[in-house]
Amino acid sequence: MDIIRMIKNREVTEADLLEYVTDNNIDVAVAAAESDLATEPILDIAAHDKDRAVRRAAACNKNTGIHTLQYLSKDRNEEIAALARQRLEGDRE
């Protein structure tokens, strides 16, 4: 079974996700950052990734914490920054 399918099927541990979110394969890193099993520390790592797709996945994940969203709200990519700001606004309501 390939890694992405394992992530989507929730057949991974937190330690696995930590490894996968830093994977050189962007598709694997994005899948890890999108996972509902990803914890705040894993998503914070994803938020600091050089790849825009990984940071975007972190901005969209429901488990991303407020501090990480605040960091992403200043992202150099306007789409990611806007997503993070929108999530922060939603948390205030």
Side-chain angles (χ1 to χ4, degrees), residues 16 21 29 31 42 57 69 80 85 92:
D16 292 332
V21 82
I42 290 169
L69 288 172
I80 294 168
R85 286 192 298 269
R92 289 188 203 158

Side-chain angles (χ1 to χ4, degrees), residues 11-71:
E11 298 170 352
V12 294
T13 65
E14 184 176 355
D16 292 332
L17 286 175
L18 180 58
E19 177 184 340
Y20 299 150
V21 82
T22 59
D23 198 295
N24 287 330
N25 180 321
I26 298 306
D27 294 333
V28 170
V30 167
E34 290 175 338
S35 174
D36 62 347
L37 297 176
T39 59
E40 284 188 43
I42 290 169
L43 293 164
D44 189 61
I45 291 168
H48 288 81
D49 198 275
K50 66 181 184 223
D51 190 274
R52 181 190 71 78
V54 178
R55 297 192 316 274
R56 185 182 189 290
C60 293
N61 191 307
K62 65 181 173 66
N63 297 332
T64 302
I66 290 173
H67 295 295
T68 303
L69 288 172
Q70 288 171 337
Y71 171 79

